[in-house]
Amino acid sequence: MANFNIDSVKERTFDAIVVGSGISGGWAAKELTGRGLKTLLLERGRDVKHVVDYPTTSMYPWEFEHRGEMPLAIREANPIVSRCYAFGEDSQHFFVKDNEHPYIQEKPFDWIRGYQVGGKSLLWARQTQRWSDFDFEGPARDGFAVDWPIRYKDIAPWYSYVEKFAGISGNKDGIPELPDGEFLPAFPLNTVEKYFSDHVKAKYPNRHIISARCAHLSKPQPIHFEQGRVGCQNRTLCQRGCPFGGYFSSNSSTIPWALKSGNLTLRPHSVVQSIIYDDEKGKAAGVRIIDTNTKEVIEYYARVIFVNASALNTNLLLLNSTSQRFPNGFGNDSGVLGKYIAFHNYTANVGAEVEGFTDFKTEGRNPAGGGYIPRFRNVYKQETDFLRGYAAGFSAYRYQQAKTEGVGAQLKDNLAHPTLSGWYVGSHMMGESIPKESNYVKLDDKEKDAWGVPLLRVNVDYDDNDEKMKLDYLEQMEEMFVSAGFKNVKKHVAIGKAPGLDIHEMGGARMGRDPKTSILNEWNQVHAAKNVFVTDGACMTSTACQNPSLTYMALTARAANYAVDEINKGNI
Amino acid sequence: MDRRIAIKNLALILSGATLFPKGLLAGNEKLIQLKNVTVTPAQEKLLANICETIIPKTTTPGAKDLNLHLFVLTMLDDCYSKADQDAFAKGLEQFEKLAAQTNSKPFALWPAAQRETLLTSLEQKNDQPAELNRFYRIVKDKTIQGYTQSQYFMTKQVVYELVPARYLVNVPVKKTTKVPSGKHG
């Protein structure tokens, strides 16, 4: 147990504590330390230092024993994480294996986790789009969840702030529903992507195919060199960790920056078990952690606490932080904590063959992945029998093909002389889902994990709205492909694909104006304990259909700077 | 100062090859201990000769030079299902019998043309037991994968770029592609 003498308490007292070092926790640490706060950054997993802890990053394909494929024994022992597209021989060390931290699935849910310094910021797909007021006003307009307590104008300057530092590539496309940002040059659309973009523009008003906006340094600026990062080298081996810092991660960017300030203490191997509530002061006093190496329980204290444990783990931590004041979980006066979990629907894609354009090809690799189709359904008005809409990825590609028939010298020669295939196109949907009370997480009342923390029970599922939206995506995409002259259009539905694999789970501690129906206020501050902020996916009132990380970053930077202002004013 | 960090990082990248020397060429490693599959030394030798028939040594390295049969066995042992492993074992025995019926000499001593004819007939006709077909399919697929993803092939034949450092679009495809000499065998 912790030693409670005065010196020890002093040593364990900071200005700020950040729980979790992933994409949002890294930002909290950077902002708080940058404003002069002595900050303790707690991470449940091991340390991963930029470059030196990326063991596979410079390996060639032939250096992997199974050429990237995961052995069957590992796949069978870990069916959940094995379903994640980024899980492979080159990246498996950054993923939580199924048996390492069990949870209870009341309904199938593939919970993908990265327990290490940097969290999933090492593994993310790096797609970064701003929200617009069509998204922030969604719940109020369409009558679901609760009204967002903020609007685009509240977050716009913070989008700019984080974009400049992280480095976002994109074009200024002038689309109101997908606001432009502070962009480095975009990665270009290729011949067929551009053709489709032009075709759709001419044929469908308010539908756009744009270069995907992504957190890659297409043209690094002084601020990026200052972080020790250089330009993206188009390796597209990002899930290994990038030795160039070509894409944004906590490891390459915010954490080293925070460490450089001299104000950061990074403590890996620290599972935060609960937030300590001080009844006298009427606010949080600190956190209780378990050192995963020594199993020692230690308390740390601070004036302000940022909870960035990843959406579901943040819910778990808040639910497990009970006190006389909060018997049902930290800040949970409203009873909505753990409820209104939502996600993105990734269950459909469409592919086709393209005739022509064979005089052109691409060279090198595109880290942006191709094109992006912003939401066009139900944007300006409700026009379908389902709520909200979907964005879609879109890309065109050719591949090298070699004749593999036969044996001997001729086969060898054929393999050495591959030819280019024709063009193919593919698209996948990213649908907004509607947060509902019946989609929830809660604590199991019996089973605990290796650190004595109750296991999380997950009860999250698709609904009729998701189903209708999926059919509409398939129909609209097929129509656009056919209209563009693409052949052999194939619609594909991922049958049995559980929620979770989108890795965009959100909500549970939602923001809102009314403490009776939400956990956090417009500054991501717990309504009932003003020195606790939640700025990861748990705070999301609704999901829109944009990839969420950029919004977490902006909300975090905004909240952290507000927190420091409030401290300086003596309000917290 | 900022650029120095960048240069330091680059130095780490460049030293990457020495940091991770593991399994450079499938080349001279000994047969690793298999966990799930049992093959006799004779079967292993036969497999090496089948692989060599698929990818023979010409003016450039062949399957034996690249130890492709060990790659086939590693993949079979680690990545295939029990059903496939069993079919492989049975199919290998069936192959031994078929070879003995075709020519009483050991497979290794057959003329290359005869070895090729036997494999080609397995590939083209579907008149053999299911296990033999499955065995051959696994050997063929993994031999091709092992070859095209070998260090030799990826540095000397169709070159793999670890660091492309570019993404270009609308690149014209040359109508007659002339491969520079020395790039292929």
Side-chain angles (χ1 to χ4, degrees):
Chain A
M1 283 298 287
N3 180 350
F4 285 103
N5 71 49
I6 303 289
D7 281 351
S8 167
V9 169
K10 213 171 161 187
E11 270 169 31
R12 289 180 284 114
T13 302
F14 294 80
D15 296 325
I17 292 171
V18 178
V19 180
S21 64
I23 212 155
S24 64
W27 266 102
K30 174 191 171 289
E31 293 307 304
L32 296 168
T33 56
R35 294 284 300 270
L37 266 54
K38 294 288 178 194
T39 302
L40 174 66
L41 177 56
L42 296 168
E43 165 54 49
R44 66 180 300 149
R46 66 191 169 96
D47 194 10
V48 171
K49 287 197 170 58
H50 184 47
V51 187
V52 294
D53 288 326
Y54 304 156
T56 60
T57 191
S58 293
M59 285 171 69
Y60 282 91
W62 61 84
E63 295 180 274
F64 292 96
E65 192 179 9
H66 307 97
R67 305 296 186 269
E69 194 174 324
M70 288 307 297
L72 185 66
I74 297 179
R75 279 185 278 137
E76 282 179 346
N78 301 279
I80 295 169
V81 70
S82 294
R83 285 192 283 270
C84 176
Y85 69 97
F87 181 72
E89 207 172 15
D90 62 346
S91 62
Q92 56 163 319
H93 45 284
F94 292 144
F95 286 90
V96 172
K97 306 291 188 300
D98 294 7
N99 59 0
E100 282 170 0
H101 194 197
Y103 59 99
I104 297 164
Q105 301 176 64
E106 293 187 1
K107 289 173 184 164
F109 185 91
D110 289 333
W111 188 14
I112 305 301
R113 293 154 293 169
Y115 289 169
Q116 62 261 327
V117 167
K120 298 194 296 292
S121 77
L122 284 166
L123 299 164
W124 65 313
R126 311 163 312 282
Q127 301 286 307
T128 41
Q129 311 97 19
R130 289 187 179 202
W131 283 34
S132 74
D133 273 336
F134 293 104
D135 305 301
F136 287 110
E137 289 171 0
R141 189 193 80 174
D142 292 346
F144 64 94
V146 291
D147 188 18
W148 273 91
I150 58 168
R151 288 295 180 263
Y152 180 66
K153 65 173 169 38
D154 299 311
I155 196 174
W158 294 102
Y159 274 134
S160 292
Y161 181 81
V162 298
E163 283 165 350
K164 281 183 205 159
F165 190 83
I168 306 295
S169 297
N171 284 316
K172 289 200 184 283
D173 297 295
I175 302 167
E177 55 271 36
L178 201 79
D180 291 332
E182 311 289 336
F183 293 141
L184 306 172
F187 293 91
L189 295 179
N190 66 34
T191 316
V192 170
E193 289 161 355
K194 182 71 170 58
Y195 159 76
F196 188 56
S197 175
D198 291 344
H199 176 83
V200 169
K201 192 177 186 176
K203 193 99 193 270
Y204 297 88
N206 296 326
R207 295 191 189 185
H208 314 274
I209 285 88
I210 63 171
S211 282
R213 299 169 181 176
C214 65
H216 281 259
L217 300 181
S218 56
K219 191 179 174 195
Q221 301 300 304
I223 187 66
H224 305 123
F225 292 129
E226 212 179 318
Q227 296 167 37
R229 301 168 60 196
V230 296
C232 170
Q233 302 298 309
N234 310 77
R235 299 178 351 135
T236 62
L237 301 172
C238 313
Q239 72 281 359
R240 301 178 180 183
C242 182
F244 298 94
Y247 72 90
F248 173 85
S249 65
S250 297
N251 311 66
S252 68
S253 178
T254 46
I255 292 175
W257 191 272
L259 284 168
K260 211 164 56 177
S261 74
N263 292 327
L264 185 72
T265 303
L266 172 61
R267 194 184 199 288
H269 303 295
S270 306
V271 168
V272 179
Q273 187 203 51
S274 56
I275 299 167
I276 306 161
Y277 185 75
D278 184 330
D279 277 305
E280 263 173 50
K281 291 181 180 158
K283 59 181 187 177
V287 298
R288 195 172 288 116
I289 73 145
I290 298 157
D291 185 304
T292 57
N293 291 323
T294 65
K295 307 284 185 229
E296 193 185 0
V297 177
I298 309 169
E299 293 186 349
Y300 287 99
Y301 309 104
R303 285 185 74 168
V304 63
I305 296 164
F306 269 69
V307 185
N308 302 85
S310 83
L312 296 193
N313 270 326
T314 285
N315 277 282
L316 173 55
L317 172 57
L318 295 174
L319 286 164
N320 198 41
S321 301
T322 52
S323 56
Q324 218 172 353
R325 170 69 185 81
F326 295 122
N328 301 316
F330 198 89
N332 191 20
D333 292 342
S334 61
V336 301
L337 182 62
K339 296 171 182 170
Y340 300 95
I341 303 285
F343 55 93
H344 284 154
N345 179 2
Y346 271 58
T347 54
N349 54 69
V350 180
E353 294 169 20
V354 182
E355 284 178 352
F357 306 97
T358 49
D359 289 347
F360 297 99
K361 61 175 185 174
T362 63
E363 244 186 60
R365 298 194 281 270
N366 183 3
Y372 179 82
I373 309 177
R375 176 162 76 97
F376 54 82
R377 272 304 198 205
N378 303 324
V379 177
Y380 291 91
K381 61 177 188 336
Q382 183 64 35
E383 59 198 9
T384 66
D385 65 344
F386 58 87
L387 292 180
R388 314 309 294 162
Y390 46 83
F394 171 75
S395 63
Y397 56 93
R398 308 179 75 174
Y399 57 87
Q400 297 272 357
Q401 53 187 8
K403 284 197 188 109
T404 58
E405 295 84 24
V407 299
Q410 184 60 51
L411 170 65
K412 230 177 138 183
D413 194 54
N414 290 344
L415 294 174
H417 296 92
T419 54
L420 266 182
S421 74
W423 286 92
Y424 293 84
V425 289
S427 165
H428 66 278
M429 78 174 291
M430 300 175 275
E432 176 165 358
S433 74
I434 306 297
K436 295 182 300 285
E437 193 175 11
S438 55
N439 276 348
Y440 64 84
V441 295
K442 66 177 185 184
L443 304 184
D444 192 73
D445 45 20
K446 289 191 193 72
E447 288 195 74
K448 294 187 173 180
D449 66 17
W451 308 279
V453 176
L455 296 196
L456 195 67
R457 302 183 70 92
V458 183
N459 188 314
V460 175
D461 207 351
Y462 302 106
D463 63 14
D464 196 39
N465 201 66
D466 299 316
E467 191 61 28
K468 285 176 180 163
M469 191 187 292
K470 177 176 73 188
L471 295 176
D472 187 69
Y473 161 79
L474 289 167
E475 200 174 279
Q476 294 304 313
M477 212 64 222
E478 178 183 42
E479 187 199 303
M480 289 192 283
F481 276 9
V482 168
S483 160
F486 299 156
K487 304 289 184 223
N488 199 13
V489 178
K490 288 220 162 68
K491 297 184 283 185
H492 176 74
V493 173
I495 294 161
K497 182 174 181 168
L501 278 186
D502 44 300
I503 326 183
H504 289 175
E505 61 274 12
M506 288 178 243
R510 68 185 180 191
M511 295 168 73
R513 299 176 198 278
D514 185 352
K516 289 195 199 70
T517 56
S518 59
I519 303 295
L520 309 170
N521 70 9
E522 73 273 32
W523 298 103
N524 295 74
Q525 217 169 3
V526 173
H527 286 298
K530 293 281 194 277
N531 69 334
V532 176
F533 292 77
V534 176
T535 66
D536 64 9
C539 78
M540 301 297 278
T541 309
S542 66
T543 72
C545 55
Q546 287 87 329
N547 297 63
S549 295
L550 183 71
T551 299
Y552 302 163
M553 294 193 235
L555 286 172
T556 303
R558 177 177 176 269
N561 282 278
Y562 174 80
V564 179
D565 291 344
E566 287 293 282
I567 286 174
N568 292 342
K569 286 180 200 159
N571 291 342
I572 52 177
Chain B
M1 141 105 189
D2 27 329
R3 281 175 196 275
R4 250 185 292 141
I5 299 172
I7 288 163
K8 194 184 79 188
N9 290 346
L10 281 171
L12 277 162
I13 297 154
L14 294 174
S15 66
T18 51
L19 279 172
F20 316 110
K22 182 182 138 206
L24 278 175
L25 219 158
N28 299 315
E29 292 161 45
K30 289 203 178 88
L31 171 54
I32 52 149
Q33 197 63 46
L34 299 176
K35 294 182 278 285
N36 306 306
V37 177
T38 319
V39 284
T40 64
Q43 285 177 325
E44 187 190 315
K45 206 177 154 197
L46 172 62
L47 190 61
N49 285 307
I50 297 171
C51 293
E52 182 70 18
T53 308
I54 297 169
I55 302 292
K57 186 185 186 75
T58 52
T59 55
T60 63
K64 282 185 183 171
D65 297 320
L66 302 170
N67 267 340
L68 297 186
H69 65 294
L70 298 189
F71 177 71
V72 172
L73 287 172
T74 299
M75 293 301 282
L76 175 73
D77 197 43
D78 291 343
C79 296
Y80 281 81
S81 65
K82 177 86 171 54
D84 275 334
Q85 290 167 350
D86 290 346
F88 185 98
K90 226 171 175 183
L92 177 53
E93 283 169 20
Q94 289 163 352
F95 184 90
E96 287 174 303
K97 275 186 204 140
L98 179 66
Q101 285 163 14
T102 312
N103 184 333
S104 58
K105 280 188 201 159
F107 184 73
L109 300 180
W110 295 11
Q114 192 176 17
R115 281 186 279 122
E116 287 185 12
T117 304
L118 179 66
L119 297 193
T120 311
S121 77
L122 276 181
E123 189 167 318
Q124 287 170 352
K125 291 181 206 157
N126 221 7
D127 57 354
Q128 295 296 332
E131 294 90 352
L132 180 49
N133 288 332
R134 187 73 192 123
F135 160 78
Y136 179 71
R137 200 65 256 166
I138 293 171
V139 174
K140 174 91 189 278
D141 287 352
K142 293 297 123 179
T143 301
I144 288 177
Q145 185 189 9
Y147 178 61
T148 56
Q149 296 188 342
S150 66
Q151 181 175 16
Y152 162 72
F153 189 89
M154 295 187 110
T155 56
K156 301 283 193 267
Q157 295 284 348
V158 178
V159 176
Y160 172 81
E161 293 182 297
L162 187 65
V163 185
R166 70 195 183 291
Y167 178 60
L168 306 174
V169 298
N170 302 323
V171 179
V173 177
K174 291 182 197 85
K175 286 294 172 200
T176 50
T177 351
K178 225 178 168 185
V179 183
S181 62
K183 207 182 162 201
H184 66 127

